[in-house]
Amino acid sequence: MERKKFEILMLFQLIFAVLVMLIGIYSKVTENYNLLPLMLILLSIMLFIMGLREYKRTQSFLWGTICLCISLYILFVAVKGIMIN
């Protein structure tokens, strides 16, 4: 049987997902939502990586572009949230 290669993008996606979960749990438990913009930035990076992986897997420009646009929008919201505070 052929083994699947471990991708570096998959590793980065997993790291960013764990960081987003940890910041989200910390914010919910302590009711301190000052780290929300950081969580959104990490989420946008994770979605960007997901778009790259999807494009690499299917060679379909559609889903990669959708994930890229969503990640850029989340990044915009996070930066705007930082600038307002």
Side-chain angles (χ1 to χ4, degrees):
M1 247 196 207
E2 183 180 324
R3 291 175 118 190
K4 283 195 167 193
K5 282 192 321 186
F6 189 74
E7 298 176 352
I8 191 75
L9 289 176
M10 183 184 213
L11 176 67
F12 283 136
Q13 181 181 349
L14 183 64
I15 289 169
F16 285 117
V18 168
L19 288 174
V20 167
M21 273 191 351
L22 290 175
I23 292 173
I25 291 170
Y26 172 78
S27 295
K28 189 66 174 171
V29 168
T30 62
E31 295 182 5
N32 180 9
Y33 298 106
N34 292 334
L35 294 177
L36 189 62
L38 175 65
M39 186 176 80
L40 287 175
I41 290 171
L42 293 174
L43 185 65
S44 70
I45 293 170
M46 187 182 74
L47 280 172
F48 181 75
I49 293 171
M50 284 174 61
L52 287 177
R53 284 186 61 219
E54 186 65 28
Y55 176 72
K56 184 178 172 185
R57 184 177 65 87
T58 63
Q59 296 295 319
S60 171
F61 192 67
L62 177 68
W63 287 110
T65 306
I66 289 173
C67 283
L68 177 65
C69 291
I70 292 171
S71 71
L72 289 175
Y73 177 72
I74 292 173
L75 184 64
F76 170 74
V77 169
V79 169
K80 192 169 183 176
I82 290 171
M83 294 175 100
I84 289 175
N85 292 333

